[in-house]
Amino acid sequence: MFHWLQGTPTLNTYQGVYDGLTVWEQIDDGIQFTATRKFLMAVPIILFLLSTHYTHYDVLQFAVNFIILVIVLIAKLPSMHKVRIFGINKHDEYEN
């Protein structure tokens, strides 16, 4: 949800300043590797490790979980800040 929702979902007092940014891009004003962002990057890694353990290291489950983990972590990298792959979730400034 952090990488999909745009704008300010709770407050509407910013007059459109954050309309083109996802919630992830707004966290800590876009500053990378803060404590909040590090925690939110650690959560999928911990879930991956737990799921690997509880599926008893099944190869198919490991492969599926690992691919999903890589996709999730790539989306959180600083080089992906304000990047829209194939124009998905691109904000149109003329849209109402």
Side-chain angles (χ1 to χ4, degrees), residues 2 20-31 37 80-84:
F2 285 143
L21 297 176
T22 63
V23 176
W24 177 259
E25 293 166 343
Q26 295 175 40
I27 293 174
D28 296 331
D29 292 324
I31 298 170
R37 286 182 182 245
M80 297 299 289
H81 189 71
K82 296 183 182 179
V83 173
R84 305 294 184 258

Side-chain angles (χ1 to χ4, degrees), residues 41-58:
M41 285 183 78
V43 168
I45 295 169
I46 293 168
L47 289 174
F48 168 75
L49 293 172
L50 287 172
S51 68
T52 302
H53 175 72
Y54 285 109
T55 57
H56 303 289
Y57 305 99
D58 179 56

